[in-house]
């Protein structure tokens, strides 16, 4: 257990439905990252936050994807109008970092999404 | 972010050192070399990172060539629990990690 929790751990949804995943980072960590991992591939960076500010959105896969971190603590990742291609593991990670000094990222166990 | 190249797989005998190579010939001056590993069905786990100098921690050593175009991760005494996919990533300090396919390491008794 890294201290990063994700809920739910598994989600099965029908195509066209909206889904929301939650990530609770380690409490003092100021950065929070979202990644997606499809079968047989390494994780793919989606977006990240420093405190409540979302610093990059351009790698979110489409405008159906959005993320928030409203109070600089937990974060949510929402996928609207899900498609079968969205089936994947969604990973969250957190770190305590500054711009000039990278720290290790602690990953949660992931949320596995299956779109039927 | 610079691309990295790793062998797809390697085997290692338990108790021996495992040397995992990584090429990152297009790495830029502000990019670090990060190593993570992922044991089946778990999230990735940080191992070590470095910029120019060699680094060592309780898990591993990282050797970076002087021109920074390649590096080697050394697991000094591999155990069965070290069986995992190992990822070498070149990225800046903002930590936007782009994982490639990694190296599947299998440690055998």
């Amino acid at each position: 257990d890294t201290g990063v929790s994700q809920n739910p751990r598994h989600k099965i949804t029908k195509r066209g439905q909206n889904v929301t995943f939650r990530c609770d980072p380690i409490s003092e960590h100021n950065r929070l990252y979202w990644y997606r991992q499809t079968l047989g591939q390494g994780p793919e960076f989606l977006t990240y936050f420093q405190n409540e500010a979302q610093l990059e959105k351009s790698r979110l896969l489409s405008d159906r994807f959005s993320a928030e971190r409203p109070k600089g603590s937990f974060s949510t990742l929402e996928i609207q109008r899900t498609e079968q291609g969205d089936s994947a593991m969604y990973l969250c990670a957190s770190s305590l970092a500054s711009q000039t000094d990278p720290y290790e990222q602690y990953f949660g166990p992931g949320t596995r999404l299956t779109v039927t | 972010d610079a691309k990295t190249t790793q062998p797809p797989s390697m085997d290692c005998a338990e108790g021996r050192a495992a040397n995992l190579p990584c090429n990152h010939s297009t790495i830029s001056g502000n990019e670090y070399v990060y190593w993570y590993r992922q044991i089946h069905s778990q999230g990735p786990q940080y191992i070590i990172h470095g910029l120019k100098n060699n680094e060592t921690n309780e898990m591993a050593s990282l050797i970076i060539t002087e021109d920074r175009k390649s590096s080697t991760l050394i697991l000094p005494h591999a155990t069965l629990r070290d069986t995992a996919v190992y990822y070498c990533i070149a990225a800046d300090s903002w930590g936007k990690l782009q994982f490639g396919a990694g190296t599947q390491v299998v440690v055998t008794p």
Side-chain angles (χ1 to χ4, degrees):
Chain A
D1 184 357
T2 63
V4 178
S5 61
Q6 292 187 246
N7 288 287
R9 296 290 309 278
H10 302 274
K11 178 71 176 179
I12 301 173
T13 192
K14 293 185 176 179
R15 186 164 49 99
Q17 298 294 305
N18 299 344
V19 294
T20 300
F21 310 140
R22 177 177 170 127
C23 172
D24 287 272
I26 294 170
S27 59
E28 64 270 23
H29 283 185
N30 55 353
R31 285 197 192 158
L32 187 147
Y33 303 81
W34 285 99
Y35 296 84
R36 182 181 83 156
Q37 185 171 24
T38 54
L39 203 60
Q41 303 297 315
E44 173 186 18
F45 169 79
L46 296 179
T47 188
Y48 76 126
F49 296 83
Q50 176 133 329
N51 301 312
E52 65 274 10
Q54 189 172 12
L55 298 186
E56 181 157 349
K57 300 182 188 180
S58 63
R59 299 194 195 177
L60 285 169
L61 299 162
S62 78
D63 58 8
R64 297 184 296 105
F65 287 71
S66 64
E68 293 184 338
R69 193 183 185 196
K71 296 182 181 179
S73 57
F74 73 92
S75 176
T76 57
L77 177 70
E78 181 181 17
I79 309 173
Q80 296 183 327
R81 306 181 302 281
T82 53
E83 301 173 356
Q84 287 188 318
D86 297 332
S87 296
M89 178 74 82
Y90 291 84
L91 293 159
C92 171
S94 70
S95 73
L96 179 64
S98 68
Q99 183 176 358
T100 56
D101 191 5
Y103 280 72
E104 59 194 275
Q105 294 184 27
Y106 292 82
F107 282 79
T111 294
R112 179 163 298 283
L113 172 66
T114 301
V115 181
T116 62
Chain B
D1 299 332
K3 283 193 180 268
T4 61
T5 305
Q6 299 177 251
S9 64
M10 63 184 295
D11 295 335
C12 178
E14 188 178 21
R16 305 293 294 270
N19 296 296
L20 282 64
C22 179
N23 287 323
H24 32 79
S25 58
T26 61
I27 194 169
S28 62
N30 67 338
E31 288 182 321
Y32 292 76
V33 178
Y34 299 83
W35 282 85
Y36 281 76
R37 73 182 183 182
Q38 189 170 25
I39 297 170
H40 184 62
S41 299
Q42 299 181 18
Q45 177 191 23
Y46 168 85
I47 302 173
I48 199 166
H49 74 274
L51 185 61
K52 296 179 183 177
N53 299 322
N54 299 338
E55 302 288 344
T56 295
N57 63 20
E58 65 279 3
M59 288 184 70
S61 294
L62 174 59
I63 308 298
I64 303 174
T65 58
E66 192 170 342
D67 63 8
R68 300 207 329 122
K69 291 186 177 181
S70 66
S71 61
T72 301
L73 178 75
I74 301 172
L75 306 178
H77 304 287
T79 71
L80 299 178
R81 289 178 297 178
D82 292 322
T83 293
V85 178
Y86 287 76
Y87 298 100
C88 168
I89 304 158
D92 64 24
S93 60
W94 288 102
K96 297 175 288 182
L97 306 178
Q98 293 293 358
F99 294 72
T103 296
Q104 172 68 63
V105 172
V106 176
V107 180
T108 55

